[in-house]
Amino acid sequence: MDFKVLDATAFYAGVPFRSHVNYYTTSLIFDEIKHIQNNYEILQTLVKIKRIIIMDPEQSYCYQTILAAEKTGDIDVLSKEDISAIALCLNLHGELITDDFAIINVSNYLGINTKSIMTTGITHNRKCLYYCPGCNRQSTSKICVICGTKSKKKIILSRGVGQSNQQKNHRIV
Ligand SMILES: [Zn+2]
């Protein structure tokens, strides 16, 4: 059996709503996406019928992922949600569905197969921004220049304005 694991970018792109495959994700990812999605009831149904299976990785896989991200230099841009998705994939020997550049990088380092959302033919445009959770404004660096808080990632979704793959590399350094 092959396990397909979804990260947040896959949910924002609507992957679980367009397929009849069973997907795995972590409780951290599910918490992150359920507030932003308009599809809350559909998500609940997909969980109920086990199309989406929420499962958390064993701690040792989280440590392994963190160590790998430190080695690849991606640790600063990965959220704990991102780390949980990679760790679950490692745990299940699954395939990770994501368009997040840093997640792909760390996954490659760990020998995890990744599949791009672009290859699923979904035409939503996603744009990754950083913002400061301290002063709640857009940030252009990993650490907020105003208050010194670590910046967080935010994914902006827009529909059907053609393809703009230039946005794929979300890292603003
Ligand atoms: Zn700030």
Side-chain angles (χ1 to χ4, degrees):
M1 184 177 179
D2 69 331
F3 298 95
K4 296 191 184 303
V5 177
L6 300 179
D7 83 336
T9 61
F11 276 98
Y12 291 121
V15 171
F17 308 117
R18 292 152 194 260
S19 154
H20 299 288
V21 179
N22 292 338
Y23 290 112
Y24 289 77
T25 198
T26 67
S27 55
L28 284 173
I29 298 277
F30 197 75
D31 279 349
E32 183 189 357
I33 57 96
K34 74 179 178 192
H35 302 294
I36 308 161
Q37 273 289 354
N38 306 323
N39 300 315
Y40 184 73
E41 279 171 26
I42 301 171
L43 279 172
Q44 293 300 320
T45 305
L46 291 175
V47 170
K48 198 178 272 179
I49 64 172
K50 301 205 186 307
R51 186 76 61 71
I52 294 172
I53 298 155
I54 299 171
M55 189 185 271
D56 289 315
E58 288 166 31
Q59 202 60 38
S60 63
Y61 294 101
C62 295
Y63 292 138
Q64 212 178 321
T65 303
I66 290 165
L67 284 176
E70 279 170 353
K71 288 203 176 109
T72 62
D74 293 296
I75 190 73
D76 288 338
V77 295
L78 289 183
S79 64
K80 58 184 191 305
E81 290 83 3
D82 297 338
I83 289 165
S84 75
I86 301 169
L88 181 62
C89 215
L90 204 56
N91 200 161
L92 297 175
H93 302 286
E95 180 183 56
L96 188 53
I97 299 170
T98 179
D99 267 350
D100 186 302
F101 185 79
I103 292 179
I104 292 169
N105 205 29
V106 176
S107 298
N108 287 344
Y109 182 88
L110 287 164
I112 294 169
N113 285 332
T114 59
K115 189 177 177 193
S116 168
I117 294 158
M118 289 301 167
T119 64
T120 65
I122 288 160
T123 56
H124 285 167
N125 293 311
R126 291 167 303 284
K127 191 175 166 186
C128 233
L129 296 175
Y130 285 91
Y131 72 100
C132 169
C135 34
N136 206 20
R137 67 172 78 202
Q138 199 176 328
S139 175
T140 50
S141 60
K142 289 173 188 172
I143 304 289
C144 175
V145 291
I146 314 248
C147 70
T149 305
K150 193 177 160 188
S151 300
K152 293 189 82 169
K153 238 182 342 191
K154 188 168 164 178
I155 298 161
I156 311 291
L157 179 67
S158 63
R159 277 163 198 267
V161 199
Q163 295 281 356
S164 89
N165 292 359
Q166 291 94 328
Q167 310 286 11
K168 265 183 90 176
N169 187 338
H170 66 256
R171 284 202 273 192
I172 305 164
V173 184

